[in-house]
Amino acid sequence: MIARFFIDRPIFATVLSVVITLIGGIALYFLPMAQYPRITPPGISISISYPGASAPVVADTVAAPIEQQVNGVPGML
């Protein structure tokens, strides 16, 4: 019975659907986004400079200790 009402009045059905969509779009701005959890895990970026050192020296003295410390952080991939 209700479906027949909207089938007989397609303009009313279109206007009603547009109004519902607009109300949903307006309500989107009032959602408390700050309370939602973060989707992506935390990330870091490290840049180092060790002038005059070879690749194995940098890997042993700088990269390995940093990697050990970063892997110990909870939630870090």
Side-chain angles (χ1 to χ4, degrees), residues 40-66:
T40 58
I44 60 169
S45 175
I46 298 174
S47 175
I48 60 168
S49 176
Y50 201 157
S54 64
V57 171
V58 172
D60 292 338
T61 60
V62 178
I66 290 174

Side-chain angles (χ1 to χ4, degrees), residues 1 6 8 12 22 28 30 45 49-50 58 68-69 73:
M1 173 122 177
F6 290 107
D8 291 339
F12 179 75
L22 289 176
L28 186 65
F30 295 105
S45 175
S49 176
Y50 201 157
V58 172
Q68 289 172 356
Q69 293 297 317
V73 176

Side-chain angles (χ1 to χ4, degrees), residues 4-62:
R4 194 74 184 144
F5 178 81
F6 290 107
I7 291 172
D8 291 339
R9 296 165 182 84
I11 296 174
F12 179 75
T14 303
V15 170
L16 186 63
S17 65
V18 169
V19 168
I20 290 172
T21 303
L22 289 176
I23 290 172
I26 292 169
L28 186 65
Y29 289 106
F30 295 105
L31 291 174
M33 294 294 199
Q35 295 179 0
Y36 292 155
R38 291 180 48 176
I39 295 174
T40 58
I44 60 169
S45 175
I46 298 174
S47 175
I48 60 168
S49 176
Y50 201 157
S54 64
V57 171
V58 172
D60 292 338
T61 60
V62 178

